[in-house]
Amino acid sequence: MATSLAAPPGNFDAERVRRDFPILEQQVNGRPLVYLDNAASGQRPLAVLRAVEHYETHTHANVHRGVHALSQAATDAFEGARERARRFINARSTREIVFVRGTTEGINLVAQSFGRPRLGRGDEILISALEHHANIVPWQMVCEQTGCTLKVAPINRRGEVELEALFELLNSRTRLVAVAHVSNALGTVVPVERIVQAAHSCGALVLLDGAQAVAHSPIDVRALGCDFYAFSGHKLYGPTGIGVLYGREELLEEMPPWQGGGEMIRTVSFERTTYNDLPWKFEAGTPNISGAVGLAAAMDYLESLGLEALAAHEQRLLAQATAALERLPGIEIIGTAAHKAAVLSFTMRGCHPHDLGTVLDSQGVAIRTGHHCAMPVMTFFDIPATARASFGCYNTEADVAALVAALEKAREVFG
Amino acid sequence: MDLKDLYRDVILDHNRQPRNFGALAHSDAHAEGHNPLCGDRLTVWLRFEGDRIADIRFEGKGCAISTASASLMTEAVKGRDKAAIKELYDRIHVLLTEPHAAADASLGKLAALGGVSEFPARVKCATLCWHTLNAALEHSADAVSTEE
């Protein structure tokens, strides 16, 4: 990437990036907005807003099968977005890029289309104790449907997956390992390459939940070696309601469709229906075309910033925020893995996370409080909830300072 | 939005030192409330003398609003009969959900919860204990929630 070479990591210009995000210009509760809820959803840069607007203003029609000009233009835009996504994660072919609503739908697709038909009693699915509910519940549903068993690899007090324990749980019955690439609740970066290697040597396939990883570092599914990779557009500054499921072509080829309807068929008669080719076999119904266009624009935008430079910028903010919070009395950081993305989960003694969220909001600082759809992680740390600040491309040192000042305000209120 | 309006001194005091906190031995009824999204969880125990609540205690973990609301509630309902509690609950509901509701002097210390109505996301925190109390009065076995 030329940009990342041209912009050394130390010179990432977040102030300039901020100007690309009109939503950040507002005041909240009389204070300038400090948006630190990026792990829940990123904001949209003008480039994405304009791409979607241009598509809606000039190009929209239903995709595929149309002979009129707009339908062809819309198809080109939609399939162009697929090619963009392929390049973004370095998949071999666009046949491996299935557009879905988001990470959750991608995982459910694999659970129902890959898992349900071929799993049965005696088979095992292995996840970790770090997972988001979206990488737990679909597997529990498959276990109920097929009689297979869900195994859970433990985490340690730093919030890291216990790799040795995970390896011990791997055996010839393990059919699929499904783990987060980056934990949404704690920010832990999971050493997925080692997990892929170990799983494959046992004959198990690997699905990676990439929701939290895609906006923070370059993703190369071939280098990772995973069999499935799911992510959402809105976590990487694209629209909501669009995401990608990557699957190795030979696997997707063998998998049956999971939803029936238009688009996913080749021929339909009441006697027999034949299915469309990849990836359309998995895209029943009219897709989120403008969402795909916006997602492609978000990928262009992220690469123009330089994902490596961005990662270095976020790591600097994480280090600053971590050091600042460690100095604040009564703050406990939850999730202290050696390798973390820019997510900072914490609690404050004497102040429930929910109260903390309200106090910070009064200061214009938007963070998330709660269980972050990872109740088992909260149970492990024996806490009902955490406060979570998560950083993105437009966050600055001033945002870290605003977070610290707001936490001092909370300490003042709660004594 | 004024923080001091939500976190009044009475609220902070009852959060730090909740009254009637801890299990009630020999209770006649109890119920559990749980808001899984934010993690607030509490149990309310009651002892009756006839139609009157002779004693009430609660225990749980939650935010300042849910803890203080429960603490204030136990003080307010102790000694009252069911009809009076129902009437009090209706007035509390107005206080918690209608911004700028006219101050109701008869609410006493409970009026400190008046700032909650300006924070819609926090109303469920303050009402959890009241719904749990209702469940205990009705001897309901199901856990109560004020989350949708």
Side-chain angles (χ1 to χ4, degrees):
Chain A
M1 266 174 290
T3 317
S4 64
L5 294 174
N11 293 343
F12 187 87
D13 190 353
E15 286 297 344
R16 213 192 72 203
V17 171
R18 285 185 80 79
R19 296 201 284 274
D20 295 334
F21 292 80
I23 200 169
L24 299 176
E25 285 161 21
Q26 66 188 295
Q27 302 237 318
V28 168
N29 293 317
R31 310 272 185 136
L33 168 63
V34 174
Y35 188 78
L36 298 177
D37 195 18
N38 295 286
S41 197
Q43 299 296 350
R44 327 267 174 268
L46 275 170
V48 169
L49 301 174
R50 284 181 182 142
V52 172
E53 188 189 13
H54 185 270
Y55 169 80
E56 300 286 13
T57 315
H58 299 284
T59 318
H60 175 68
N62 209 337
V63 289
H64 305 134
R65 299 173 310 281
V67 293
H68 63 81
L70 279 186
S71 175
Q72 287 175 16
T75 303
D76 289 347
F78 185 63
E79 293 304 327
R82 197 187 306 277
E83 164 57 20
R84 185 68 193 84
R86 183 202 67 74
R87 272 190 289 130
F88 192 73
I89 59 171
N90 195 32
R92 275 181 199 82
S93 156
T94 50
R95 290 189 295 279
E96 300 181 316
I97 303 294
V98 180
F99 281 127
V100 288
R101 278 189 297 151
T103 311
T104 299
E105 190 174 62
I107 296 173
N108 275 278
L109 192 162
V110 176
Q112 291 301 312
S113 172
F114 172 82
R116 193 173 184 179
R118 66 180 83 193
L119 296 178
R121 211 159 286 283
D123 290 331
E124 293 176 3
I125 297 168
L126 177 58
I127 63 174
S128 87
L130 209 51
E131 304 310 314
H132 187 284
H133 297 162
N135 201 26
I136 302 173
V137 182
W139 308 118
Q140 289 175 326
M141 290 165 68
V142 166
C143 288
E144 248 173 54
Q145 289 158 346
T146 67
C148 70
T149 307
L150 188 64
K151 297 280 181 177
V152 184
I155 55 176
N156 62 28
R157 296 302 298 177
R158 292 187 298 278
E160 295 162 326
V161 177
E162 292 272 26
L163 278 189
E164 291 309 317
L166 183 143
F167 295 154
E168 274 173 34
L169 285 167
L170 275 172
N171 61 66
S172 59
R173 295 183 299 277
T174 312
R175 303 291 301 278
L176 186 81
V177 179
V179 289
H181 194 172
V182 172
S183 152
N184 74 304
L186 307 179
T188 312
V189 178
V190 179
V192 290
E193 292 89 343
R194 293 184 61 191
I195 293 174
V196 169
Q197 207 173 24
H200 282 173
S201 69
C202 277
L205 299 181
V206 178
L207 174 140
L208 298 181
D209 168 356
Q212 292 298 328
V214 281
H216 301 295
S217 58
I219 301 298
D220 182 334
V221 289
R222 278 191 269 178
L224 289 169
C226 59
D227 302 287
F228 299 102
Y229 197 96
F231 63 95
S232 305
H234 70 105
K235 308 277 196 203
L236 53 95
Y237 314 106
T240 53
I242 187 75
V244 168
L245 171 71
Y246 158 82
R248 279 202 294 118
E249 185 173 350
E250 51 273 39
L251 293 170
L252 292 179
E253 201 63 72
E254 289 169 18
M255 287 158 52
W258 81 304
Q259 289 180 338
E263 193 73 45
M264 50 76 69
I265 50 84
R266 173 163 296 124
T267 61
V268 174
S269 70
F270 288 118
E271 290 70 39
R272 183 162 181 272
T273 290
T274 57
Y275 301 129
N276 204 338
D277 293 329
L278 288 178
W280 306 289
K281 180 172 86 174
F282 291 109
E283 294 179 359
T286 298
N288 181 358
I289 312 167
S290 68
V293 168
L295 175 60
M299 290 170 169
D300 284 341
Y301 180 79
L302 260 182
E303 288 191 358
S304 79
L305 296 182
L307 271 157
E308 269 131 17
L310 171 59
H313 169 70
E314 291 179 351
Q315 285 298 316
R316 256 192 323 276
L317 293 179
L318 176 66
Q320 281 167 3
T322 304
L325 263 60
E326 279 170 347
R327 283 195 297 273
L328 291 176
I331 296 272
E332 186 186 357
I333 294 173
I334 309 292
T336 50
H339 193 189
K340 277 178 69 173
V343 172
L344 198 51
S345 236
F346 57 93
T347 57
M348 180 185 269
R349 195 169 54 238
C351 183
H352 190 278
H354 221 172
D355 295 311
L356 206 47
T358 295
V359 175
L360 266 56
D361 185 50
S362 78
Q363 307 298 301
V365 178
I367 60 160
R368 189 143 296 251
T369 60
H371 53 57
H372 316 296
C373 290
M375 281 183 170
V377 174
M378 301 298 120
T379 305
F380 175 79
F381 285 101
D382 194 24
I383 46 180
T386 71
R388 181 187 70 184
S390 50
F391 300 89
C393 63
Y394 34 65
N395 290 123
T396 62
E397 283 180 42
D399 293 342
V400 175
L403 170 66
V404 171
L407 289 172
E408 281 166 348
K409 174 79 182 175
R411 177 53 64 212
E412 189 188 308
V413 173
F414 282 87
Chain B
M1 152 177 193
D2 186 357
L3 272 186
K4 270 283 155 202
D5 206 32
L6 180 64
Y7 297 115
R8 297 179 197 179
D9 290 342
V10 174
I11 303 286
L12 294 172
D13 172 42
H14 278 255
N15 176 47
R16 265 193 290 271
Q17 293 165 316
R19 319 298 198 267
N20 302 306
F21 192 82
L24 175 63
H26 313 298
S27 66
D28 297 313
H30 73 276
E32 281 175 30
H34 186 203
N35 282 344
L37 289 182
C38 55
D40 289 352
R41 187 189 280 276
L42 59 88
T43 307
V44 172
W45 290 271
L46 302 176
R47 192 168 57 75
F48 297 108
E49 275 171 9
D51 200 31
R52 209 172 56 86
I53 292 183
D55 204 358
I56 174 170
R57 293 180 73 78
F58 84 103
E59 193 171 65
K61 273 185 182 170
C63 64
I65 302 303
S66 77
T67 303
S69 181
S71 173
L72 288 164
M73 177 188 80
T74 59
E75 286 193 328
V77 303
K78 202 184 280 192
R80 298 204 194 203
D81 63 27
K82 285 180 187 171
I85 290 169
K86 169 83 177 71
E87 195 260 338
L88 183 59
Y89 172 73
D90 289 343
R91 281 188 291 142
I92 283 289
H93 196 75
V94 170
L95 177 78
L96 293 176
T97 56
E98 291 180 16
H100 317 297
D104 187 339
S106 67
L107 285 173
K109 272 200 273 180
L110 284 169
L113 289 162
V116 172
S117 62
E118 305 284 346
F119 295 77
R122 307 305 301 277
V123 171
K124 64 177 181 172
C125 311
T127 53
L128 181 63
C129 61
W130 288 93
H131 287 269
T132 310
L133 170 62
N134 272 347
L137 288 171
E138 289 164 13
H139 298 277
S140 168
D142 297 330
V144 174
S145 179
T146 54
E147 286 172 343
E148 284 164 21

